[in-house]
């Protein structure tokens, strides 16, 4: 979390507007996290994030378990903070990477008789956009090439729209998030 925190603070800057940029990024990341939890549905799910900045290329990664019961989100802890700070560093720094939402293994994919589901979002230029089924599968295959286990019987699903990042000087979000101007 400390590396991501430093990257985030470098991205927003230490000029007088830096605090406003930091607040905007953290507000966006919080709304995206809550939308991911809501879209995940009941059960305990895993969010994984891998991203790097456009300038130094330093790779940041984070993972957090998101548990939803009776429509409510379990209390978050340090892992959630680390995940959100890492995502904020990727967004604020105009980074690239991938965010995957691994469904609860005990809950089959909607419309599928068996197997856990995985949804994905691409981070490019600091913007999050839903991945297609093919992109999710490719990301899982890339993870397997890096030594992570390929989930058996996984059912790739497309990502769903997330709240957008607000335009500078506006309270209205724009589609897909984005870097600070």
């Amino acid at each position: 979390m400390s590396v991501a925190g430093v990257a985030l603070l470098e991205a927003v800057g230490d000029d007088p507007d830096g605090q406003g940029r930091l607040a905007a990024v953290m507000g966006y990341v919080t709304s995206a996290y809550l939308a991911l939890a809501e879209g995940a549905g009941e059960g305990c799910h895993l969010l994984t994030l891998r991203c790097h900045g456009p300038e130094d290329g330093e790779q940041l990664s984070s993972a957090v378990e998101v548990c939803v019961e009776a429509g409510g989100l379990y209390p978050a802890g340090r892992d959630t903070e680390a995940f959100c700070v890492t995502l904020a560093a990727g967004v604020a720094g105009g980074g690239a990477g991938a965010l995957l939402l691994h469904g609860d293994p005990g809950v089959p994919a909607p419309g599928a008789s068996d197997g856990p589901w995985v949804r994905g979002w691409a981070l490019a230029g600091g913007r999050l956009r839903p991945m297609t089924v093919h992109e999710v599968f490719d990301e899982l295959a890339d993870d397997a090439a890096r030594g992570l286990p390929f989930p058996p019987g996984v059912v790739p699903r497309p990502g769903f729209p997330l709240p957008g990042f607000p335009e500078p000087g506006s309270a209205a979000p724009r589609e897909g998030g984005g870097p600070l101007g």
Side-chain angles (χ1 to χ4, degrees), residues 61-87:
S61 62
S62 187
V64 66
E65 188 175 57
V66 177
C67 294
V68 178
E69 183 178 297
L73 186 59
Y74 279 49
R78 298 285 293 164
D79 289 344
T80 302
E81 292 173 26
F83 180 86
C84 289
V85 168
T86 304
L87 179 56

Side-chain angles (χ1 to χ4, degrees), residues 79-130:
D79 289 344
T80 302
E81 292 173 26
F83 180 86
C84 289
V85 168
T86 304
L87 179 56
V91 169
L99 186 157
L100 295 178
L101 173 60
H102 301 256
D104 186 320
V107 179
S113 60
D114 200 14
W117 52 264
V118 176
R119 294 184 181 274
W121 293 263
L123 178 65
R127 290 178 177 253
L128 280 170
R129 68 155 180 83

Side-chain angles (χ1 to χ4, degrees), residues 100 135-148 150-151:
L100 295 178
E135 289 172 316
V136 172
F137 183 85
D138 287 349
E139 187 61 34
L140 289 168
D142 288 348
D143 282 351
R146 286 190 291 274
L148 298 173
F150 194 95

